[in-house]
mmCIF file with all atom_site columns, all heavy atoms in Angstrom:
data_model
loop_
_atom_site.group_PDB
_atom_site.id
_atom_site.type_symbol
_atom_site.label_atom_id
_atom_site.label_alt_id
_atom_site.label_comp_id
_atom_site.label_asym_id
_atom_site.label_entity_id
_atom_site.label_seq_id
_atom_site.pdbx_PDB_ins_code
_atom_site.Cartn_x
_atom_site.Cartn_y
_atom_site.Cartn_z
_atom_site.occupancy
_atom_site.B_iso_or_equiv
_atom_site.pdbx_formal_charge
_atom_site.auth_seq_id
_atom_site.auth_comp_id
_atom_site.auth_asym_id
_atom_site.auth_atom_id
_atom_site.pdbx_PDB_model_num
ATOM 1   N N   . THR H 1 1  ? 5.732  1.536   11.644 1.00 91.00 ? 843 THR H N   1
ATOM 2   C CA  . THR H 1 1  ? 6.323  2.639   10.894 1.00 91.00 ? 843 THR H CA  1
ATOM 3   C C   . THR H 1 1  ? 6.912  2.056   9.617  1.00 91.00 ? 843 THR H C   1
ATOM 4   O O   . THR H 1 1  ? 7.346  0.894   9.593  1.00 91.00 ? 843 THR H O   1
ATOM 5   C CB  . THR H 1 1  ? 7.433  3.343   11.695 1.00 91.00 ? 843 THR H CB  1
ATOM 6   O OG1 . THR H 1 1  ? 8.485  2.402   11.965 1.00 91.00 ? 843 THR H OG1 1
ATOM 7   C CG2 . THR H 1 1  ? 6.905  3.904   13.005 1.00 91.00 ? 843 THR H CG2 1
ATOM 8   N N   . PRO H 1 2  ? 6.959  2.814   8.528  1.00 91.00 ? 844 PRO H N   1
ATOM 9   C CA  . PRO H 1 2  ? 7.514  2.257   7.287  1.00 91.00 ? 844 PRO H CA  1
ATOM 10  C C   . PRO H 1 2  ? 8.972  1.833   7.428  1.00 91.00 ? 844 PRO H C   1
ATOM 11  O O   . PRO H 1 2  ? 9.384  0.830   6.841  1.00 91.00 ? 844 PRO H O   1
ATOM 12  C CB  . PRO H 1 2  ? 7.343  3.391   6.279  1.00 91.00 ? 844 PRO H CB  1
ATOM 13  C CG  . PRO H 1 2  ? 7.039  4.617   7.069  1.00 91.00 ? 844 PRO H CG  1
ATOM 14  C CD  . PRO H 1 2  ? 6.419  4.167   8.336  1.00 91.00 ? 844 PRO H CD  1
ATOM 15  N N   . SER H 1 3  ? 9.744  2.568   8.210  1.00 87.00 ? 845 SER H N   1
ATOM 16  C CA  . SER H 1 3  ? 11.155 2.201   8.368  1.00 87.00 ? 845 SER H CA  1
ATOM 17  C C   . SER H 1 3  ? 11.297 0.871   9.109  1.00 87.00 ? 845 SER H C   1
ATOM 18  O O   . SER H 1 3  ? 12.166 0.057   8.785  1.00 87.00 ? 845 SER H O   1
ATOM 19  C CB  . SER H 1 3  ? 11.914 3.309   9.098  1.00 87.00 ? 845 SER H CB  1
ATOM 20  O OG  . SER H 1 3  ? 11.314 3.609   10.342 1.00 87.00 ? 845 SER H OG  1
ATOM 21  N N   . TYR H 1 4  ? 10.417 0.615   10.102 1.00 91.00 ? 846 TYR H N   1
ATOM 22  C CA  . TYR H 1 4  ? 10.507 -0.658  10.802 1.00 91.00 ? 846 TYR H CA  1
ATOM 23  C C   . TYR H 1 4  ? 9.971  -1.797  9.936  1.00 91.00 ? 846 TYR H C   1
ATOM 24  O O   . TYR H 1 4  ? 10.481 -2.922  9.987  1.00 91.00 ? 846 TYR H O   1
ATOM 25  C CB  . TYR H 1 4  ? 9.784  -0.613  12.146 1.00 91.00 ? 846 TYR H CB  1
ATOM 26  C CG  . TYR H 1 4  ? 10.047 -1.860  12.966 1.00 91.00 ? 846 TYR H CG  1
ATOM 27  C CD1 . TYR H 1 4  ? 11.357 -2.262  13.228 1.00 91.00 ? 846 TYR H CD1 1
ATOM 28  C CD2 . TYR H 1 4  ? 9.009  -2.648  13.435 1.00 91.00 ? 846 TYR H CD2 1
ATOM 29  C CE1 . TYR H 1 4  ? 11.620 -3.422  13.956 1.00 91.00 ? 846 TYR H CE1 1
ATOM 30  C CE2 . TYR H 1 4  ? 9.266  -3.800  14.169 1.00 91.00 ? 846 TYR H CE2 1
ATOM 31  C CZ  . TYR H 1 4  ? 10.570 -4.179  14.424 1.00 91.00 ? 846 TYR H CZ  1
ATOM 32  O OH  . TYR H 1 4  ? 10.834 -5.323  15.123 1.00 91.00 ? 846 TYR H OH  1
ATOM 33  N N   . ALA H 1 5  ? 8.953  -1.522  9.122  1.00 95.00 ? 847 ALA H N   1
ATOM 34  C CA  . ALA H 1 5  ? 8.466  -2.544  8.196  1.00 95.00 ? 847 ALA H CA  1
ATOM 35  C C   . ALA H 1 5  ? 9.576  -2.957  7.235  1.00 95.00 ? 847 ALA H C   1
ATOM 36  O O   . ALA H 1 5  ? 9.722  -4.143  6.903  1.00 95.00 ? 847 ALA H O   1
ATOM 37  C CB  . ALA H 1 5  ? 7.259  -2.008  7.427  1.00 95.00 ? 847 ALA H CB  1
ATOM 38  N N   . LEU H 1 6  ? 10.364 -1.988  6.801  1.00 91.00 ? 848 LEU H N   1
ATOM 39  C CA  . LEU H 1 6  ? 11.495 -2.292  5.933  1.00 91.00 ? 848 LEU H CA  1
ATOM 40  C C   . LEU H 1 6  ? 12.517 -3.152  6.667  1.00 91.00 ? 848 LEU H C   1
ATOM 41  O O   . LEU H 1 6  ? 13.095 -4.094  6.099  1.00 91.00 ? 848 LEU H O   1
ATOM 42  C CB  . LEU H 1 6  ? 12.148 -0.986  5.467  1.00 91.00 ? 848 LEU H CB  1
ATOM 43  C CG  . LEU H 1 6  ? 13.238 -1.093  4.411  1.00 91.00 ? 848 LEU H CG  1
ATOM 44  C CD1 . LEU H 1 6  ? 12.681 -1.645  3.110  1.00 91.00 ? 848 LEU H CD1 1
ATOM 45  C CD2 . LEU H 1 6  ? 13.858 0.277   4.175  1.00 91.00 ? 848 LEU H CD2 1
ATOM 46  N N   . ASN H 1 7  ? 12.726 -2.859  7.943  1.00 91.00 ? 849 ASN H N   1
ATOM 47  C CA  . ASN H 1 7  ? 13.627 -3.662  8.770  1.00 91.00 ? 849 ASN H CA  1
ATOM 48  C C   . ASN H 1 7  ? 13.110 -5.104  8.883  1.00 91.00 ? 849 ASN H C   1
ATOM 49  O O   . ASN H 1 7  ? 13.885 -6.067  8.782  1.00 91.00 ? 849 ASN H O   1
ATOM 50  C CB  . ASN H 1 7  ? 13.734 -3.024  10.157 1.00 91.00 ? 849 ASN H CB  1
ATOM 51  C CG  . ASN H 1 7  ? 14.855 -3.600  10.996 1.00 91.00 ? 849 ASN H CG  1
ATOM 52  O OD1 . ASN H 1 7  ? 15.677 -4.376  10.528 1.00 91.00 ? 849 ASN H OD1 1
ATOM 53  N ND2 . ASN H 1 7  ? 14.891 -3.223  12.264 1.00 91.00 ? 849 ASN H ND2 1
ATOM 54  N N   . ILE H 1 8  ? 11.810 -5.268  9.069  1.00 95.00 ? 850 ILE H N   1
ATOM 55  C CA  . ILE H 1 8  ? 11.209 -6.603  9.127  1.00 95.00 ? 850 ILE H CA  1
ATOM 56  C C   . ILE H 1 8  ? 11.460 -7.358  7.823  1.00 95.00 ? 850 ILE H C   1
ATOM 57  O O   . ILE H 1 8  ? 11.833 -8.536  7.819  1.00 95.00 ? 850 ILE H O   1
ATOM 58  C CB  . ILE H 1 8  ? 9.700  -6.501  9.432  1.00 95.00 ? 850 ILE H CB  1
ATOM 59  C CG1 . ILE H 1 8  ? 9.475  -6.048  10.883 1.00 95.00 ? 850 ILE H CG1 1
ATOM 60  C CG2 . ILE H 1 8  ? 8.985  -7.823  9.166  1.00 95.00 ? 850 ILE H CG2 1
ATOM 61  C CD1 . ILE H 1 8  ? 8.022  -5.761  11.237 1.00 95.00 ? 850 ILE H CD1 1
ATOM 62  N N   . ALA H 1 9  ? 11.265 -6.666  6.692  1.00 95.00 ? 851 ALA H N   1
ATOM 63  C CA  . ALA H 1 9  ? 11.483 -7.310  5.390  1.00 95.00 ? 851 ALA H CA  1
ATOM 64  C C   . ALA H 1 9  ? 12.929 -7.765  5.242  1.00 95.00 ? 851 ALA H C   1
ATOM 65  O O   . ALA H 1 9  ? 13.203 -8.880  4.770  1.00 95.00 ? 851 ALA H O   1
ATOM 66  C CB  . ALA H 1 9  ? 11.111 -6.341  4.270  1.00 95.00 ? 851 ALA H CB  1
ATOM 67  N N   . GLU H 1 10 ? 13.849 -6.912  5.655  1.00 91.00 ? 852 GLU H N   1
ATOM 68  C CA  . GLU H 1 10 ? 15.271 -7.214  5.521  1.00 91.00 ? 852 GLU H CA  1
ATOM 69  C C   . GLU H 1 10 ? 15.669 -8.413  6.387  1.00 91.00 ? 852 GLU H C   1
ATOM 70  O O   . GLU H 1 10 ? 16.367 -9.328  5.925  1.00 91.00 ? 852 GLU H O   1
ATOM 71  C CB  . GLU H 1 10 ? 16.085 -5.982  5.919  1.00 91.00 ? 852 GLU H CB  1
ATOM 72  C CG  . GLU H 1 10 ? 17.583 -6.131  5.755  1.00 91.00 ? 852 GLU H CG  1
ATOM 73  C CD  . GLU H 1 10 ? 18.298 -4.837  6.126  1.00 91.00 ? 852 GLU H CD  1
ATOM 74  O OE1 . GLU H 1 10 ? 18.170 -4.411  7.286  1.00 91.00 ? 852 GLU H OE1 1
ATOM 75  O OE2 . GLU H 1 10 ? 18.959 -4.262  5.258  1.00 91.00 ? 852 GLU H OE2 1
ATOM 76  N N   . VAL H 1 11 ? 15.226 -8.430  7.640  1.00 94.00 ? 853 VAL H N   1
ATOM 77  C CA  . VAL H 1 11 ? 15.574 -9.526  8.537  1.00 94.00 ? 853 VAL H CA  1
ATOM 78  C C   . VAL H 1 11 ? 14.944 -10.833 8.050  1.00 94.00 ? 853 VAL H C   1
ATOM 79  O O   . VAL H 1 11 ? 15.567 -11.908 8.122  1.00 94.00 ? 853 VAL H O   1
ATOM 80  C CB  . VAL H 1 11 ? 15.146 -9.201  9.986  1.00 94.00 ? 853 VAL H CB  1
ATOM 81  C CG1 . VAL H 1 11 ? 15.342 -10.405 10.897 1.00 94.00 ? 853 VAL H CG1 1
ATOM 82  C CG2 . VAL H 1 11 ? 15.933 -8.000  10.516 1.00 94.00 ? 853 VAL H CG2 1
ATOM 83  N N   . ALA H 1 12 ? 13.712 -10.763 7.545  1.00 96.00 ? 854 ALA H N   1
ATOM 84  C CA  . ALA H 1 12 ? 13.060 -11.970 7.017  1.00 96.00 ? 854 ALA H CA  1
ATOM 85  C C   . ALA H 1 12 ? 13.870 -12.560 5.871  1.00 96.00 ? 854 ALA H C   1
ATOM 86  O O   . ALA H 1 12 ? 14.050 -13.785 5.782  1.00 96.00 ? 854 ALA H O   1
ATOM 87  C CB  . ALA H 1 12 ? 11.642 -11.643 6.561  1.00 96.00 ? 854 ALA H CB  1
ATOM 88  N N   . GLU H 1 13 ? 14.370 -11.686 4.997  1.00 94.00 ? 855 GLU H N   1
ATOM 89  C CA  . GLU H 1 13 ? 15.186 -12.164 3.884  1.00 94.00 ? 855 GLU H CA  1
ATOM 90  C C   . GLU H 1 13 ? 16.460 -12.827 4.394  1.00 94.00 ? 855 GLU H C   1
ATOM 91  O O   . GLU H 1 13 ? 16.885 -13.873 3.877  1.00 94.00 ? 855 GLU H O   1
ATOM 92  C CB  . GLU H 1 13 ? 15.507 -10.996 2.952  1.00 94.00 ? 855 GLU H CB  1
ATOM 93  C CG  . GLU H 1 13 ? 14.287 -10.502 2.172  1.00 94.00 ? 855 GLU H CG  1
ATOM 94  C CD  . GLU H 1 13 ? 14.468 -9.093  1.612  1.00 94.00 ? 855 GLU H CD  1
ATOM 95  O OE1 . GLU H 1 13 ? 15.584 -8.533  1.727  1.00 94.00 ? 855 GLU H OE1 1
ATOM 96  O OE2 . GLU H 1 13 ? 13.482 -8.540  1.066  1.00 94.00 ? 855 GLU H OE2 1
ATOM 97  N N   . GLN H 1 14 ? 17.066 -12.245 5.427  1.00 93.00 ? 856 GLN H N   1
ATOM 98  C CA  . GLN H 1 14 ? 18.275 -12.835 6.003  1.00 93.00 ? 856 GLN H CA  1
ATOM 99  C C   . GLN H 1 14 ? 17.985 -14.187 6.650  1.00 93.00 ? 856 GLN H C   1
ATOM 100 O O   . GLN H 1 14 ? 18.836 -15.078 6.657  1.00 93.00 ? 856 GLN H O   1
ATOM 101 C CB  . GLN H 1 14 ? 18.873 -11.875 7.034  1.00 93.00 ? 856 GLN H CB  1
ATOM 102 C CG  . GLN H 1 14 ? 19.425 -10.588 6.439  1.00 93.00 ? 856 GLN H CG  1
ATOM 103 C CD  . GLN H 1 14 ? 19.734 -9.533  7.495  1.00 93.00 ? 856 GLN H CD  1
ATOM 104 O OE1 . GLN H 1 14 ? 19.506 -9.736  8.689  1.00 93.00 ? 856 GLN H OE1 1
ATOM 105 N NE2 . GLN H 1 14 ? 20.251 -8.383  7.063  1.00 93.00 ? 856 GLN H NE2 1
ATOM 106 N N   . MET H 1 15 ? 16.776 -14.350 7.189  1.00 96.00 ? 857 MET H N   1
ATOM 107 C CA  . MET H 1 15 ? 16.377 -15.614 7.819  1.00 96.00 ? 857 MET H CA  1
ATOM 108 C C   . MET H 1 15 ? 15.944 -16.660 6.798  1.00 96.00 ? 857 MET H C   1
ATOM 109 O O   . MET H 1 15 ? 15.699 -17.823 7.152  1.00 96.00 ? 857 MET H O   1
ATOM 110 C CB  . MET H 1 15 ? 15.225 -15.362 8.802  1.00 96.00 ? 857 MET H CB  1
ATOM 111 C CG  . MET H 1 15 ? 15.569 -14.517 10.009 1.00 96.00 ? 857 MET H CG  1
ATOM 112 S SD  . MET H 1 15 ? 14.065 -14.003 10.918 1.00 96.00 ? 857 MET H SD  1
ATOM 113 C CE  . MET H 1 15 ? 13.361 -15.590 11.419 1.00 96.00 ? 857 MET H CE  1
ATOM 114 N N   . GLY H 1 16 ? 15.793 -16.232 5.547  1.00 97.00 ? 858 GLY H N   1
ATOM 115 C CA  . GLY H 1 16 ? 15.295 -17.149 4.534  1.00 97.00 ? 858 GLY H CA  1
ATOM 116 C C   . GLY H 1 16 ? 13.797 -17.355 4.593  1.00 97.00 ? 858 GLY H C   1
ATOM 117 O O   . GLY H 1 16 ? 13.277 -18.344 4.090  1.00 97.00 ? 858 GLY H O   1
ATOM 118 N N   . VAL H 1 17 ? 13.081 -16.411 5.201  1.00 97.00 ? 859 VAL H N   1
ATOM 119 C CA  . VAL H 1 17 ? 11.624 -16.482 5.323  1.00 97.00 ? 859 VAL H CA  1
ATOM 120 C C   . VAL H 1 17 ? 10.995 -15.627 4.223  1.00 97.00 ? 859 VAL H C   1
ATOM 121 O O   . VAL H 1 17 ? 11.348 -14.461 4.054  1.00 97.00 ? 859 VAL H O   1
ATOM 122 C CB  . VAL H 1 17 ? 11.158 -15.980 6.703  1.00 97.00 ? 859 VAL H CB  1
ATOM 123 C CG1 . VAL H 1 17 ? 9.634  -15.928 6.770  1.00 97.00 ? 859 VAL H CG1 1
ATOM 124 C CG2 . VAL H 1 17 ? 11.707 -16.866 7.813  1.00 97.00 ? 859 VAL H CG2 1
ATOM 125 N N   . SER H 1 18 ? 10.061 -16.198 3.491  1.00 96.00 ? 860 SER H N   1
ATOM 126 C CA  . SER H 1 18 ? 9.394  -15.467 2.411  1.00 96.00 ? 860 SER H CA  1
ATOM 127 C C   . SER H 1 18 ? 8.064  -14.910 2.907  1.00 96.00 ? 860 SER H C   1
ATOM 128 O O   . SER H 1 18 ? 7.044  -15.610 2.936  1.00 96.00 ? 860 SER H O   1
ATOM 129 C CB  . SER H 1 18 ? 9.158  -16.380 1.203  1.00 96.00 ? 860 SER H CB  1
ATOM 130 O OG  . SER H 1 18 ? 8.444  -15.674 0.202  1.00 96.00 ? 860 SER H OG  1
ATOM 131 N N   . LEU H 1 19 ? 8.078  -13.646 3.285  1.00 96.00 ? 861 LEU H N   1
ATOM 132 C CA  . LEU H 1 19 ? 6.829  -13.000 3.700  1.00 96.00 ? 861 LEU H CA  1
ATOM 133 C C   . LEU H 1 19 ? 5.897  -12.800 2.517  1.00 96.00 ? 861 LEU H C   1
ATOM 134 O O   . LEU H 1 19 ? 4.684  -12.660 2.676  1.00 96.00 ? 861 LEU H O   1
ATOM 135 C CB  . LEU H 1 19 ? 7.136  -11.662 4.373  1.00 96.00 ? 861 LEU H CB  1
ATOM 136 C CG  . LEU H 1 19 ? 7.807  -11.744 5.756  1.00 96.00 ? 861 LEU H CG  1
ATOM 137 C CD1 . LEU H 1 19 ? 8.181  -10.363 6.262  1.00 96.00 ? 861 LEU H CD1 1
ATOM 138 C CD2 . LEU H 1 19 ? 6.905  -12.445 6.762  1.00 96.00 ? 861 LEU H CD2 1
ATOM 139 N N   . ILE H 1 20 ? 6.464  -12.806 1.315  1.00 95.00 ? 862 ILE H N   1
ATOM 140 C CA  . ILE H 1 20 ? 5.645  -12.636 0.113  1.00 95.00 ? 862 ILE H CA  1
ATOM 141 C C   . ILE H 1 20 ? 4.659  -13.800 -0.024 1.00 95.00 ? 862 ILE H C   1
ATOM 142 O O   . ILE H 1 20 ? 3.542  -13.632 -0.521 1.00 95.00 ? 862 ILE H O   1
ATOM 143 C CB  . ILE H 1 20 ? 6.551  -12.522 -1.133 1.00 95.00 ? 862 ILE H CB  1
ATOM 144 C CG1 . ILE H 1 20 ? 7.356  -11.219 -1.074 1.00 95.00 ? 862 ILE H CG1 1
ATOM 145 C CG2 . ILE H 1 20 ? 5.734  -12.576 -2.423 1.00 95.00 ? 862 ILE H CG2 1
ATOM 146 C CD1 . ILE H 1 20 ? 8.386  -11.074 -2.156 1.00 95.00 ? 862 ILE H CD1 1
ATOM 147 N N   . GLU H 1 21 ? 5.062  -14.971 0.433  1.00 93.00 ? 863 GLU H N   1
ATOM 148 C CA  . GLU H 1 21 ? 4.204  -16.153 0.320  1.00 93.00 ? 863 GLU H CA  1
ATOM 149 C C   . GLU H 1 21 ? 3.276  -16.310 1.522  1.00 93.00 ? 863 GLU H C   1
ATOM 150 O O   . GLU H 1 21 ? 2.461  -17.239 1.553  1.00 93.00 ? 863 GLU H O   1
ATOM 151 C CB  . GLU H 1 21 ? 5.081  -17.398 0.154  1.00 93.00 ? 863 GLU H CB  1
ATOM 152 C CG  . GLU H 1 21 ? 5.909  -17.375 -1.124 1.00 93.00 ? 863 GLU H CG  1
ATOM 153 C CD  . GLU H 1 21 ? 6.887  -18.537 -1.209 1.00 93.00 ? 863 GLU H CD  1
ATOM 154 O OE1 . GLU H 1 21 ? 6.776  -19.455 -0.372 1.00 93.00 ? 863 GLU H OE1 1
ATOM 155 O OE2 . GLU H 1 21 ? 7.760  -18.511 -2.098 1.00 93.00 ? 863 GLU H OE2 1
ATOM 156 N N   . ALA H 1 22 ? 3.404  -15.434 2.520  1.00 95.00 ? 864 ALA H N   1
ATOM 157 C CA  . ALA H 1 22 ? 2.554  -15.491 3.714  1.00 95.00 ? 864 ALA H CA  1
ATOM 158 C C   . ALA H 1 22 ? 1.197  -14.848 3.414  1.00 95.00 ? 864 ALA H C   1
ATOM 159 O O   . ALA H 1 22 ? 1.014  -14.183 2.389  1.00 95.00 ? 864 ALA H O   1
ATOM 160 C CB  . ALA H 1 22 ? 3.239  -14.766 4.864  1.00 95.00 ? 864 ALA H CB  1
ATOM 161 N N   . PRO H 1 23 ? 0.208  -15.010 4.316  1.00 97.00 ? 865 PRO H N   1
ATOM 162 C CA  . PRO H 1 23 ? -1.097 -14.356 4.117  1.00 97.00 ? 865 PRO H CA  1
ATOM 163 C C   . PRO H 1 23 ? -1.034 -12.830 4.138  1.00 97.00 ? 865 PRO H C   1
ATOM 164 O O   . PRO H 1 23 ? -2.007 -12.161 3.769  1.00 97.00 ? 865 PRO H O   1
ATOM 165 C CB  . PRO H 1 23 ? -1.928 -14.882 5.290  1.00 97.00 ? 865 PRO H CB  1
ATOM 166 C CG  . PRO H 1 23 ? -1.255 -16.147 5.718  1.00 97.00 ? 865 PRO H CG  1
ATOM 167 C CD  . PRO H 1 23 ? 0.201  -15.920 5.472  1.00 97.00 ? 865 PRO H CD  1
ATOM 168 N N   . LEU H 1 24 ? 0.086  -12.263 4.599  1.00 98.00 ? 866 LEU H N   1
ATOM 169 C CA  . LEU H 1 24 ? 0.216  -10.812 4.721  1.00 98.00 ? 866 LEU H CA  1
ATOM 170 C C   . LEU H 1 24 ? -0.160 -10.128 3.407  1.00 98.00 ? 866 LEU H C   1
ATOM 171 O O   . LEU H 1 24 ? 0.399  -10.438 2.353  1.00 98.00 ? 866 LEU H O   1
ATOM 172 C CB  . LEU H 1 24 ? 1.654  -10.471 5.106  1.00 98.00 ? 866 LEU H CB  1
ATOM 173 C CG  . LEU H 1 24 ? 1.907  -9.127  5.795  1.00 98.00 ? 866 LEU H CG  1
ATOM 174 C CD1 . LEU H 1 24 ? 1.135  -9.018  7.099  1.00 98.00 ? 866 LEU H CD1 1
ATOM 175 C CD2 . LEU H 1 24 ? 3.406  -8.941  6.048  1.00 98.00 ? 866 LEU H CD2 1
ATOM 176 N N   . ALA H 1 25 ? -1.111 -9.189  3.469  1.00 98.00 ? 867 ALA H N   1
ATOM 177 C CA  . ALA H 1 25 ? -1.601 -8.543  2.255  1.00 98.00 ? 867 ALA H CA  1
ATOM 178 C C   . ALA H 1 25 ? -1.653 -7.027  2.356  1.00 98.00 ? 867 ALA H C   1
ATOM 179 O O   . ALA H 1 25 ? -1.643 -6.332  1.334  1.00 98.00 ? 867 ALA H O   1
ATOM 180 C CB  . ALA H 1 25 ? -3.005 -9.062  1.923  1.00 98.00 ? 867 ALA H CB  1
ATOM 181 N N   . ILE H 1 26 ? -1.705 -6.498  3.588  1.00 98.00 ? 868 ILE H N   1
ATOM 182 C CA  . ILE H 1 26 ? -1.916 -5.059  3.774  1.00 98.00 ? 868 ILE H CA  1
ATOM 183 C C   . ILE H 1 26 ? -0.899 -4.537  4.777  1.00 98.00 ? 868 ILE H C   1
ATOM 184 O O   . ILE H 1 26 ? -0.671 -5.159  5.821  1.00 98.00 ? 868 ILE H O   1
ATOM 185 C CB  . ILE H 1 26 ? -3.342 -4.768  4.284  1.00 98.00 ? 868 ILE H CB  1
ATOM 186 C CG1 . ILE H 1 26 ? -4.396 -5.245  3.275  1.00 98.00 ? 868 ILE H CG1 1
ATOM 187 C CG2 . ILE H 1 26 ? -3.537 -3.277  4.578  1.00 98.00 ? 868 ILE H CG2 1
ATOM 188 C CD1 . ILE H 1 26 ? -5.774 -5.365  3.866  1.00 98.00 ? 868 ILE H CD1 1
ATOM 189 N N   . GLY H 1 27 ? -0.302 -3.398  4.485  1.00 98.00 ? 869 GLY H N   1
ATOM 190 C CA  . GLY H 1 27 ? 0.534  -2.690  5.444  1.00 98.00 ? 869 GLY H CA  1
ATOM 191 C C   . GLY H 1 27 ? -0.079 -1.328  5.715  1.00 98.00 ? 869 GLY H C   1
ATOM 192 O O   . GLY H 1 27 ? -0.449 -0.617  4.776  1.00 98.00 ? 869 GLY H O   1
ATOM 193 N N   . VAL H 1 28 ? -0.222 -0.980  6.989  1.00 98.00 ? 870 VAL H N   1
ATOM 194 C CA  . VAL H 1 28 ? -0.764 0.337   7.361  1.00 98.00 ? 870 VAL H CA  1
ATOM 195 C C   . VAL H 1 28 ? 0.360  1.071   8.077  1.00 98.00 ? 870 VAL H C   1
ATOM 196 O O   . VAL H 1 28 ? 0.687  0.767   9.227  1.00 98.00 ? 870 VAL H O   1
ATOM 197 C CB  . VAL H 1 28 ? -2.016 0.214   8.247  1.00 98.00 ? 870 VAL H CB  1
ATOM 198 C CG1 . VAL H 1 28 ? -2.682 1.577   8.399  1.00 98.00 ? 870 VAL H CG1 1
ATOM 199 C CG2 . VAL H 1 28 ? -3.002 -0.783  7.659  1.00 98.00 ? 870 VAL H CG2 1
#
């Protein structure tokens, strides 16, 4: 769900993990 994807982004930022640099390219 978009709201949970936003939650994933927020927690990743808090963990210091850059999902932007990961292979992740598409969100459905």
Side-chain angles (χ1 to χ4, degrees):
T843 62
S845 56
Y846 188 54
L848 188 64
N849 192 8
I850 289 173
E852 183 178 61
V853 173
E855 290 161 6
Q856 293 168 358
M857 294 168 61
V859 174
S860 177
L861 290 175
I862 293 173
E863 297 174 10
L866 203 60
I868 299 163
V870 190

